Amino acid sequence: MPAWYGVGTALQEFFEEAPEENLELMQYFYSKWPFFRMVISKVEMTLSKVDLQMANHYVHELGDPADHPRFERLLDRITEEFNLTKKLVLQITGNETLLDGDRPLQRSVQLRNGTIIPLGFLQVSLLKRLRQYTRETQASIVHFRYSKEELLRGALLTINGIAAGMRNTG
Amino acid sequence: MNQVMHPPSAEAEILSSSQSLLRHRLTLVEDIWQTVLKKECGPTLVAHLNQLRASRSDEGRIANFPLADISHLIESLSLEDAIRAARAFALYFQLINSIEQHYEQREQQLSRRMVSSNDTNTNGHSSTQSEIPPTQAGTFDWLFPHLKRQNMPPQTIQRLLNQLDIRLVFTAHPTEIVRHTIRNKQRRIAGILRELDRTKEGIQPLDAAESWEVEDIKQQLTEEIRLWWRTDELHQFKPQVIDEVDYALHYFEEVLFDTLPDLSIRLQQALKSSFPRLNSPSKDFCNFGSWVGGDRDGNPSVTPDVTWKTACYQRGLVLQRYIHSVDALSDVLSLSLHWSNVLPDILDSLEQEQNIFPDIYETLAIRYRQEPYRLKLAYIKRRLENTLDRNRRLSEMAAWQNKVEDADTRVYASGEAFLADLMLLRDSLVQTDIHCAALDKLICQVEIFGFILTRLDFRQESTLHSDAIAEIADYLGVLPKPYNKLTDAEKVTWLVEELKTRRPLIPKEMDFSERAIETIQTFQVLRRLQQEFGVGICQTYIISMTDEASDVLEVLLLAQEAGLYDPVTGTTTIRIAPLFETVDDLRNAPEIMQGLFEIPLYRACLAGGYEPSNEGNTDEVFGDRLSPDLQEIMLGYSDSNKDSGFLSSNWEVHKAQKNLQQVADPFGIDLRIFHGRGGSVGRGGGPAYAAILAQPPHTINGRIKITEQGEVLASKYSLPDLALYHLESISTAVIQSSLLGSGFDDIQPWNRIMEKLSQRSRAAYRSLVYEEPDFLDFFMSVTPLPEISQLQISSRPARRKKGKRI
């Protein structure tokens, strides 16, 4: 669930009221107010693990082709909000890229991303096979080489693997 | 986060060498991982894997490789190969998680050592008022000198330390049931890494030629990883609740049992060096609770039998630990009457023991004639073993329905009785000028863990209580219309009347639905647990989906039926904690609590009865400071996150806390806020230190309760020093936040701005998640959610049935 969604819009609307002044105010909040700083840091941490290209791949592979247009529209909305949120959060923290303020976490996230991606691809592929199995055996079209248990096991492995890779997000 | 402060150069050097060591180890393990896979799966698959991993760009995003090619490559894999590939990547993550943890711990140890050596030279004068040097943040050694510099009055600190009470509560999480087998592998790998550190450190630079010793260690690592590869990582059966209990308690056995006493010592030392005249807080100022086996909300497999068994399981675990420790003490305390005096109390006690255990006297009296400590320890051990035997008998399912047994001098009735025996030994030793560290540690452990190990919280959904009461009222025919048709005010009136009389409502033969019977029995087992284990075993009863005052009184009425509340004295042995989860519920919470506090009967029950004299309900409860006038309230982050997004969710929780405190203050009631944080950021997780400092300042007062979700236990509690660091930083944050609130939370214009931001982000979030008709379809078809709910990975059904909520 994209719980970060909406943060960008809220900040944007607030900045539009008084662009420079309000940006400065947010920067001041960030440096002084522990509550605000905590919220922005959490947004930053979550954004750093969002991968929209990957999301796009999930949509294309797992969504029914007939659904692609309406799903793509949603994904566009999410992408737009992601870019906006990222831009404004960076303005507030004064960093160039996400997590610049927490190098060890940044390195750790980057190290993992390289392997999360292929694991995501695998997950998509296994889920696709599993869903195809469910559809086609229900319609009793073909007999499958693999049992449902094996397919489920594969899917579970990818879920656990991605959870291990993401650590505190998910 | 601390760009402002640059660490001194020696520190920087160590940290950077630590960083390069980390990089080196990561490369090493990656090489070994590849080698193992080549051996186990052949070079073709490994080539594929590398091809896939090369598909990232430098920032770790997809870029370099055409998407279609990757897709094609993956589609062409057979299912066996796809599963192998998934396993290989999962293993890779497990390995680098282990390594990162190991080196995080190492860095922690190094920087502690360095800070303490710096301190002696420079008096720790490096920090400005508001910035904390990165290596010291969240440590007691920073905290107390800082309080001193701020001229914090010692009485204020003492008052806070006296009521310091930090509770962390383990909860079960479906994806985190790792087999013991796998955890042992992880531990062995950590052990091998430690050896590797020992051989290389300081002896030679990292890239110099490697010795045979290093080669040998690498070989061990390779073999260990090969064994791991050939092991099933998942249970081949659906886990039972008791497996989940076993999983959560593992951290006590392996880590917390030793770490909590260390934490207490660490605080004591830091406090003494800045404030020699202040007293340390109670040894269990930081303590643990568990939901596993007690939390029923939505999990039908947590029955009264299961909770009973869980409590017995916990007791069995501590008893075994104590027996080991007593054995070890017997080795140490070999003092002979020829060479040492003892207090007469010990000799008196030995005489009494002789009558209780004549067989021990017969076999050991001669051998230990001159060694009274050993003889006493032999009696202690036998009594522990008897207690363990009795525990084994009681742990049978449904044993809680048996009658309470008569007291037996051959077993320990409670942890206090065991503690009294240990104190006898210590007094005698101290009087004769001997200090035994092992005995002190055991005493500290018994003070913290008792025979309970950890508190069990109960949680149940409010509708189950009202349904049960509706059935009872219907059966008795005491209400003009069905209970569930009454307004909240009508319910409250009727409940308050019923709470004034000892006349029971529930007949012995219960002619009710199975659900209602189980709800009633849940209170009966709670009562029985308190009788058998002491009130400390389970006190908190959490009501999920609380949205009316009557939800709380219903629980009090059911408690009364089980003997947990006495209407005549107005005393109760449970704490009812409403849980507020959605944004609407969070907003209504202050009003609901206000309504409750205004009911004299409820207010009296919080005060510890109508006449809060010293009778009954004061401080004698073992392992728990049952302070009066305390209301526990749980706030959930997960549902509010789902319904409003996380800026709004965090803000609503923040506000609810402040408003609740305002409601409680005029009644003279203290609050304990229980934060139901999820493991992931989206469910309220994230770094604890910053999160505690971000709490509104007047709401903590040394008391906090926080969930530790199953999925993050491994990263916090697998290694002793990391666990200690984590607990120290939480404790520091609680003290710091209670004493030195930032004051920024009270700036009204800031609050107004935050309110506006929160409303706007909530509106935007809801316009996507709730108002966009395609969103649910989108979410269900492009995420693995439907599959997760089919998997048998937890004793609990995957999605709680909560109507239309996502």
Side-chain angles (χ1 to χ4, degrees):
Chain A
M1 202 59 74
W4 52 269
Y5 190 96
V7 176
T9 302
L11 289 171
Q12 170 86 344
E13 286 173 11
F14 182 59
F15 287 168
E16 276 165 9
E17 290 170 9
E20 276 172 36
E21 204 179 312
N22 285 351
L23 172 61
E24 267 177 38
L25 193 60
M26 291 288 98
Q27 287 168 338
Y28 190 66
F29 276 24
Y30 180 74
S31 71
K32 291 290 174 194
W33 192 6
F35 170 77
F36 191 75
R37 191 183 184 99
M38 180 264 305
V39 171
I40 294 294
S41 304
K42 280 197 203 174
V43 175
E44 203 185 353
M45 206 184 298
T46 315
L47 292 183
S48 74
K49 299 188 186 180
V50 171
D51 188 330
L52 290 163
Q53 272 176 288
M54 200 66 208
N56 189 34
H57 181 66
Y58 274 74
V59 168
H60 275 263
E61 293 295 311
L62 293 176
D64 192 317
D67 288 331
H68 282 174
R70 57 189 192 118
F71 287 176
E72 265 167 33
R73 192 178 53 80
L74 280 179
L75 196 61
D76 285 347
R77 257 188 88 173
I78 296 174
T79 308
E80 206 177 305
E81 180 72 16
F82 173 83
N83 290 330
L84 180 68
T85 311
K86 181 172 162 184
K87 187 181 91 186
L88 299 181
V89 163
L90 287 175
Q91 281 180 8
I92 291 172
T93 59
N95 289 334
E96 260 175 47
T97 54
L98 293 173
L99 296 181
D100 272 356
D102 189 348
R103 296 284 184 191
L105 182 62
Q106 191 180 43
R107 264 193 298 270
S108 169
V109 169
Q110 281 175 6
L111 176 74
R112 284 142 202 280
N113 278 347
T115 307
I116 290 267
I117 291 164
L119 198 50
F121 280 110
L122 279 166
Q123 182 172 72
V124 167
S125 159
L126 287 163
L127 288 176
K128 223 167 92 178
R129 294 182 207 193
L130 180 63
R131 288 177 188 183
Q132 191 187 2
Y133 175 97
T134 316
R135 269 196 310 276
E136 295 187 2
T137 45
Q138 267 165 11
S140 56
I141 303 174
V142 279
H143 182 72
F144 266 74
R145 249 185 78 203
Y146 304 113
S147 72
K148 187 170 179 186
E149 282 66 40
E150 284 172 286
L151 287 162
L152 261 174
R153 198 173 106 80
L156 175 57
L157 281 168
T158 61
I159 291 167
N160 276 1
I162 289 176
M166 296 281 241
R167 296 179 98 186
N168 73 343
T169 46
Chain B
M1 278 222 275
N2 285 283
Q3 318 92 308
V4 189
M5 281 299 302
H6 291 289
S9 62
E11 204 167 299
E13 215 167 89
I14 292 202
L15 289 183
S16 85
S17 85
S18 190
Q19 276 302 329
S20 79
L21 193 65
L22 170 63
R23 270 197 297 278
H24 174 267
R25 299 298 194 248
L26 287 169
T27 321
L28 173 80
V29 161
E30 191 167 332
D31 286 348
I32 294 181
W33 175 74
Q34 299 241 4
T35 316
V36 168
L37 291 175
K38 268 183 208 147
K39 272 191 192 156
E40 297 290 325
C41 314
T44 326
L45 186 70
V46 175
H48 283 326
L49 292 183
N50 284 335
Q51 216 175 334
L52 287 172
R53 293 177 78 222
S55 62
R56 65 177 151 166
S57 69
D58 288 340
E59 297 95 54
R61 301 267 186 262
I62 308 175
N64 296 346
F65 210 61
L67 260 178
D69 289 0
I70 305 181
S71 277
H72 182 74
L73 174 60
I74 287 191
E75 296 298 322
S76 69
L77 294 178
S78 66
L79 182 68
E80 283 96 333
D81 277 350
I83 287 184
R84 276 194 198 142
R87 285 192 76 201
F89 288 140
L91 176 64
Y92 171 78
F93 283 132
Q94 305 257 30
L95 291 172
I96 63 172
N97 284 350
S98 288
I99 294 200
E100 282 189 342
Q101 269 171 33
H102 179 79
Y103 288 93
E104 206 181 316
Q105 161 160 300
R106 194 172 167 280
E107 226 165 274
Q108 209 44 68
Q109 292 161 335
L110 286 177
S111 65
R112 274 194 78 79
R113 248 173 254 158
M114 214 160 42
V115 166
S116 54
S117 63
N118 273 357
D119 265 3
T120 51
N121 300 336
T122 64
N123 251 337
H125 230 313
S126 55
S127 65
T128 61
Q129 297 218 325
S130 60
E131 289 298 335
I132 306 166
T135 49
Q136 292 184 323
T139 62
F140 297 139
D141 283 336
W142 168 80
L143 174 70
F144 291 111
H146 182 68
L147 291 176
K148 197 160 193 163
R149 282 194 296 274
Q150 301 280 315
N151 290 323
M152 180 62 57
Q155 318 82 283
T156 312
I157 301 176
Q158 186 67 65
R159 209 173 313 131
L160 182 81
L161 291 177
N162 291 347
Q163 64 186 40
L164 192 62
D165 187 357
I166 299 162
R167 303 183 172 203
L168 301 166
V169 181
F170 282 5
T171 65
H173 191 271
T175 60
E176 193 47 36
I177 302 296
V178 181
R179 301 179 64 198
H180 275 299
T181 326
I182 295 297
R183 273 197 307 219
N184 290 338
K185 302 250 177 286
Q186 290 167 337
R187 209 160 343 156
R188 293 170 70 91
I189 285 179
I192 299 175
L193 287 173
R194 262 198 308 279
E195 258 179 72
L196 191 59
D197 285 356
R198 264 199 293 276
T199 55
K200 297 198 107 180
E201 219 159 74
I203 304 172
Q204 55 186 23
L206 282 174
D207 17 305
E210 281 163 350
S211 64
W212 60 269
E213 210 181 350
V214 171
E215 277 307 316
D216 183 48
I217 290 172
K218 277 161 74 174
Q219 193 53 38
Q220 284 178 37
L221 208 49
T222 312
E223 286 311 310
E224 203 58 57
I225 296 174
R226 287 187 70 190
L227 285 171
W228 188 343
W229 175 258
R230 293 193 194 185
T231 304
D232 273 323
E233 55 275 86
L234 303 171
H235 281 295
Q236 300 300 302
F237 54 90
K238 183 179 165 68
Q240 311 266 302
V241 179
I242 215 77
D243 296 315
E244 293 175 340
V245 171
D246 182 58
Y247 171 77
L249 296 186
H250 163 87
Y251 294 102
F252 283 91
E253 277 182 280
E254 292 298 329
V255 175
L256 294 174
F257 212 70
D258 292 317
T259 301
L260 283 178
D262 291 346
L263 179 72
S264 167
I265 293 168
R266 199 177 264 191
L267 185 142
Q268 208 174 331
Q269 287 169 345
L271 179 68
K272 289 288 169 230
S273 60
S274 295
F275 297 97
R277 303 175 57 164
L278 293 188
N279 297 321
S280 305
S282 144
K283 296 212 174 83
D284 60 345
F285 71 86
C286 177
N287 56 77
F288 281 81
S290 167
W291 273 16
V292 193
D295 172 29
R296 3 192 65 76
D297 184 56
N299 188 350
S301 35
V302 181
T303 59
D305 284 356
V306 164
T307 308
W308 177 260
K309 218 178 148 86
T310 302
C312 293
Y313 190 93
Q314 291 180 182
R315 182 162 63 183
L317 220 65
V318 271
L319 286 172
Q320 284 168 30
R321 288 292 301 237
Y322 293 153
I323 291 172
H324 277 297
S325 304
V326 166
D327 266 340
L329 273 180
S330 183
D331 247 5
V332 178
L333 295 180
S334 49
L335 294 82
S336 159
L337 289 173
H338 288 136
W339 310 106
S340 178
N341 292 326
V342 294
L343 287 194
D345 299 8
I346 293 216
L347 302 176
D348 291 349
S349 133
L350 288 178
E351 236 165 82
Q352 289 168 22
E353 298 282 38
Q354 182 182 340
N355 297 324
I356 302 169
F357 298 110
D359 60 319
I360 296 186
Y361 180 76
E362 257 166 50
T363 42
L364 295 177
I366 295 182
R367 176 192 300 217
Y368 290 154
R369 199 175 43 215
Q370 300 300 332
E371 297 176 350
Y373 291 100
R374 282 185 161 171
L375 189 54
K376 179 64 191 174
L377 285 167
Y379 289 121
I380 292 178
K381 183 180 174 190
R382 170 66 68 83
R383 200 170 271 121
L384 285 172
E385 283 167 346
N386 289 347
T387 314
L388 186 62
D389 279 346
R390 175 170 176 277
N391 188 59
R392 218 168 273 141
R393 252 189 308 115
L394 282 179
S395 78
E396 276 162 35
M397 287 292 181
W400 62 276
Q401 287 173 323
N402 301 347
K403 280 219 318 239
V404 182
E405 292 173 14
D406 293 333
D408 179 350
T409 52
R410 286 165 302 170
V411 301
Y412 282 120
S414 65
E416 294 105 314
F418 174 44
L419 188 62
D421 269 349
L422 296 176
M423 295 306 260
L424 187 70
L425 298 180
R426 178 156 75 180
D427 286 347
S428 177
L429 287 170
V430 171
Q431 295 285 328
T432 55
D433 201 27
I434 293 274
H435 293 269
C436 172
L439 178 61
D440 287 347
K441 180 152 192 179
L442 179 59
I443 286 175
C444 187
Q445 284 168 332
V446 182
E447 283 175 331
I448 296 173
F449 300 104
F451 281 180
I452 286 172
L453 186 61
T454 173
R455 292 190 182 81
L456 278 169
D457 280 359
F458 278 55
R459 181 174 68 152
Q460 185 60 287
E461 227 178 81
S462 63
T463 48
L464 269 94
H465 309 128
S466 45
D467 288 352
I469 289 193
E471 279 193 45
I472 297 167
D474 191 39
Y475 169 86
L476 296 171
V478 289
L479 285 170
K481 55 179 169 180
Y483 179 79
N484 281 330
K485 292 264 164 29
L486 301 178
T487 65
D488 183 50
E490 289 169 336
K491 286 182 191 168
V492 168
T493 311
W494 181 72
L495 289 165
V496 166
E497 278 314 304
E498 289 305 322
L499 283 166
K500 284 180 181 160
T501 156
R502 276 184 178 160
R503 183 188 61 227
L505 289 174
I506 300 174
K508 203 146 195 252
E509 301 264 312
M510 292 191 282
D511 190 15
F512 303 128
S513 71
E514 231 172 85
R515 245 165 64 114
I517 292 177
E518 187 157 314
T519 306
I520 293 165
Q521 284 186 336
T522 300
F523 288 87
Q524 291 169 347
V525 79
L526 209 166
R527 163 80 168 153
R528 206 41 201 94
L529 282 164
Q530 291 193 345
Q531 287 173 333
E532 170 64 31
F533 294 83
V535 174
I537 181 76
C538 44
Q539 276 192 308
T540 308
Y541 193 104
I542 299 154
I543 313 168
S544 51
M545 320 238 335
T546 309
D547 52 14
E548 295 176 336
S550 59
D551 291 338
V552 174
L553 295 178
E554 285 163 2
V555 169
L556 195 59
L557 185 62
L558 290 167
Q560 172 178 321
E561 289 296 311
L564 293 159
Y565 171 72
D566 182 352
V568 174
T569 59
T571 52
T572 175
T573 50
I574 61 167
R575 283 191 192 289
I576 305 175
L579 162 57
F580 301 102
E581 289 180 279
T582 63
V583 165
D584 284 345
D585 291 345
L586 287 169
R587 289 181 180 164
N588 293 332
E591 201 190 319
I592 294 172
M593 295 318 294
Q594 168 98 26
L596 280 164
F597 295 155
E598 280 169 358
I599 299 172
L601 178 142
Y602 187 76
R603 178 67 190 86
C605 148
L606 287 182
Y610 292 115
E611 279 177 56
S613 62
N614 288 333
E615 272 182 279
N617 210 4
T618 45
D619 266 3
E620 92 285 6
V621 177
F622 185 69
D624 188 30
R625 284 144 290 166
L626 192 63
S627 39
D629 297 322
L630 182 68
Q631 169 73 54
E632 184 167 318
I633 297 174
M634 182 167 183
L635 304 177
Y637 289 67
S638 176
D639 278 9
S640 52
N641 254 306
K642 279 184 231 159
D643 75 33
S644 302
F646 77 47
L647 193 141
S648 189
S649 156
N650 278 285
W651 180 240
E652 291 294 339
V653 171
H654 193 79
K655 271 195 310 183
Q657 261 177 277
K658 284 209 291 193
N659 295 338
L660 285 166
Q661 190 65 49
Q662 270 171 18
V663 164
D665 281 340
F667 291 93
I669 293 170
D670 292 324
L671 297 182
R672 166 159 51 230
I673 301 292
F674 183 4
H675 298 264
R677 288 154 45 95
S680 69
V681 170
R683 298 173 59 222
Y689 181 71
I692 294 171
L693 290 184
Q695 301 300 321
H698 316 298
T699 59
I700 292 188
N701 298 320
R703 286 189 205 92
I704 201 165
K705 190 166 170 182
I706 311 174
T707 50
E708 288 283 31
Q709 298 279 352
E711 68 263 43
V712 295
L713 295 184
S715 67
K716 293 178 180 167
Y717 298 108
S718 294
L719 301 174
D721 278 357
L722 266 193
L724 189 55
Y725 170 66
H726 174 64
L727 297 175
E728 185 178 358
S729 68
I730 288 182
S731 310
T732 306
V734 168
I735 300 174
Q736 192 183 342
S737 169
S738 304
L739 293 174
L740 307 166
S742 73
F744 294 109
D745 297 287
D746 298 328
I747 304 176
Q748 284 318 313
W750 289 25
N751 284 324
R752 278 194 293 276
I753 291 171
M754 215 37 233
E755 182 64 38
K756 213 154 48 170
L757 288 173
S758 158
Q759 279 170 12
R760 283 168 168 169
S761 74
R762 179 170 199 249
Y765 174 84
R766 292 190 66 90
S767 80
L768 174 76
V769 175
Y770 291 87
E771 284 145 35
E772 182 66 75
D774 294 335
F775 188 79
L776 195 59
D777 274 359
F778 170 80
F779 198 69
M780 293 305 276
S781 64
V782 305
T783 67
L785 200 66
E787 282 76 16
I788 291 179
S789 53
Q790 285 181 47
L791 293 165
Q792 305 219 317
I793 49 180
S794 152
S795 70
R796 169 197 283 280
R799 290 176 72 202
R800 287 200 261 159
K801 55 168 204 306
K802 283 213 170 171
K804 56 195 181 306
R805 289 185 197 165
I806 295 179

